[in-house]
Amino acid sequence: MSFLDHLEQLRWHIIRALASILVFTIIAFLARGFFFETLILGPGKVDFWTYQRLCDLGRLINSEVLCIEKLPFILQSRTLTGQFTAHITYSIVIGIILAFPYTFWELWRFIAPGLNISERRVTRGAVFFVTLLFAMGILFGYYVIAPLSINFLSNYQLAESIQNEFDISSYVGSVCMIVLSAGIMFQLPMVVLFLTKVGVATPALLKHYRRHAVVIILIVSAILTPPDVISQCLISMPLFILYEVSIFISGAVLKRQEKQLAKSKKENE
């Protein structure tokens, strides 16, 4: 295929990916009762699943401290178009989250034909594992980071006379960005896997720059999450674990490549 033919093919993959985002955006916009009232506003209610499980754990260890009895804040819309703008903006964010697996699949369909047989073999299951890690990140962000961050920030007061009255855009934006950021950052093992296969990353290199990675993870977590230490730590801890898992994955990939190389040398001899 010529360069222009490749561009034409890429254009259609991008169009289909954007179309999927548009479809899910429309669904999120129309089903606002479920996506906004139930899902997005859910972590701001004391009967949310995470709070209930924390309370069950508190009863198990005879400690009522873990029971969330109230979230002392109210949501407000301080501009005339505040709610409508938030509805449109974050319907798009929800559309991106829901369409992510299909979008990645479309882009992978464009990349995969350019790989040779060995490259296709080592990248087999890429769409599945990317989708799995993304889903794990989304669930972790929604059920762990978001509710604990909301609980911490809503209960934080400089003085008793100051009431927490959050703008709807601030609340919805924080929840959506926490969830989306967690889904994206959970792709760390796949990034390391790819870099290892192209010869950029090695277990020794990852171990050598572990301290640098810790600093980078903390900085990125601070940028992507609300400005509080709790959210930053909550998203950083699983990333530290994923980084260690990535070192193991990198080592396993190198061992497999060395075995294949040794096997090919024997066959040539």
Side-chain angles (χ1 to χ4, degrees):
M1 295 177 64
S2 67
F3 178 72
L4 291 178
D5 290 333
H6 280 294
L7 286 181
E8 178 66 14
Q9 191 178 47
L10 176 61
R11 184 172 74 93
W12 282 106
H13 284 294
I14 293 176
I15 288 175
R16 285 192 290 268
L18 292 176
S20 67
I21 294 175
L22 177 61
V23 169
F24 282 110
T25 297
I26 294 173
I27 293 174
F29 185 84
L30 296 177
R32 64 180 182 179
F34 173 73
F35 285 103
F36 285 87
E37 179 67 26
T38 302
L39 287 184
I40 295 180
L41 297 182
K45 302 175 182 178
V46 293
D47 60 350
F48 187 62
W49 185 87
T50 303
Y51 302 140
Q52 296 298 315
R53 301 293 77 77
L54 284 174
C55 194
D56 292 340
L57 178 61
R59 295 192 186 98
L60 185 64
I61 61 176
N62 294 322
S63 175
E64 296 297 327
V65 178
L66 295 178
C67 289
I68 309 298
E69 297 181 354
K70 64 176 181 177
L71 295 171
F73 73 94
I74 61 173
L75 293 178
Q76 291 185 343
S77 179
R78 294 184 174 86
T79 60
L80 182 64
T81 60
Q83 294 194 57
F84 182 70
T85 302
H87 189 191
I88 294 177
T89 303
Y90 297 108
S91 290
I92 296 174
V93 176
I94 295 172
I96 293 173
I97 293 174
L98 295 178
F100 178 85
Y102 179 80
T103 300
F104 180 79
W105 180 68
E106 278 291 346
L107 296 178
W108 185 251
R109 286 177 60 198
F110 174 75
I111 297 171
L115 304 178
N116 57 42
I117 297 176
S118 61
E119 289 172 336
R120 291 184 185 182
R121 187 182 301 114
V122 297
T123 55
R124 187 178 301 165
V127 176
F128 170 78
F129 287 109
V130 166
T131 302
L132 177 63
L133 288 171
F134 185 75
M136 290 172 60
I138 292 295
L139 292 175
F140 183 81
Y142 181 72
Y143 284 105
V144 179
I145 303 177
L148 295 184
S149 297
I150 291 172
N151 177 55
F152 171 77
L153 293 174
S154 64
N155 282 281
Y156 187 85
Q157 288 182 300
L158 291 174
E160 293 184 0
S161 59
I162 302 176
Q163 295 182 345
N164 285 323
E165 298 178 355
F166 304 144
D167 186 78
I168 183 66
S169 297
S170 175
Y171 173 89
V172 177
S174 296
V175 172
C176 288
M177 290 310 299
I178 285 173
V179 172
L180 182 59
S181 299
I184 293 174
M185 295 187 72
F186 265 57
Q187 300 302 315
L188 178 61
M190 294 302 298
V191 174
V192 172
L193 177 65
F194 172 77
L195 293 177
T196 302
K197 289 179 177 178
V198 298
V200 175
T202 62
L205 183 69
L206 294 173
K207 291 178 182 178
H208 179 73
Y209 287 101
R210 182 184 277 119
R211 294 181 180 178
H212 302 79
V214 169
V215 175
I216 293 173
I217 288 173
L218 289 173
I219 293 174
V220 174
S221 300
I223 294 173
L224 296 178
T225 56
D228 69 281
V229 179
I230 300 298
S231 301
Q232 183 181 4
C233 293
L234 287 174
I235 198 172
S236 297
M237 287 188 292
L239 289 178
F240 295 148
I241 297 174
L242 288 174
Y243 187 82
E244 296 299 325
V245 172
S246 299
I247 296 176
F248 173 79
I249 292 174
S250 179
V253 171
L254 283 182
K255 288 182 180 179
R256 184 175 180 180
Q257 290 178 342
E258 291 173 356
K259 289 182 180 179
Q260 290 178 346
L261 182 60
K263 184 178 180 181
S264 61
K265 285 183 178 179
K266 288 182 179 180
E267 291 177 351
N268 292 331
E269 292 175 355

